[in-house]
């Protein structure tokens, strides 16, 4: 479910950004560019989430006790 929601929000935000930037620059809006960029962005988010550890460091645990 997290993959679907992440792709949905990245698609929504990137498509909105694509539309606004294309309007400001006065160029044609290309829907497929937004889809491709949102797929790449979603994959990057999943990679970053996999690389960042979930465990807290011993120093952080010592400060909370």
């Amino acid at each position: 479910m997290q993959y679907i929601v992440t792709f949905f929000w990245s698609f929504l935000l990137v498509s909105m950004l694509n539309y606004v930037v294309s309007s400001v620059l006065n160029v044609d809006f290309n829907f497929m560019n937004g889809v491709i960029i949102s797929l790449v962005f979603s994959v990057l988010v999943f990679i970053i989430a996999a690389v960042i550890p979930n465990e807290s460091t011993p120093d952080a645990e010592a400060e909370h006790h």
Side-chain angles (χ1 to χ4, degrees):
M1 186 69 179
Q2 69 183 0
Y3 299 115
I4 295 170
V5 172
T6 303
F7 174 71
F8 172 76
W9 280 107
S10 69
F11 171 75
L12 192 69
L13 293 172
V14 169
S15 294
M16 180 185 62
L17 181 67
N18 186 19
Y19 177 75
V20 169
V21 170
S22 65
S23 295
V24 168
L25 294 178
N26 199 20
V27 296
D28 292 335
F29 172 70
N30 191 346
F31 180 75
M32 287 307 295
N33 284 348
V35 172
I36 293 168
I37 293 171
S38 65
L39 282 172
V40 171
F41 183 73
S42 295
V43 170
L44 287 175
V45 167
F46 296 136
I47 290 172
I48 290 171
V51 170
I52 296 174
N54 290 333
E55 302 86 28
S56 59
T57 61
D59 295 335
E61 290 179 4
E63 291 176 6
H64 293 294
H65 292 285

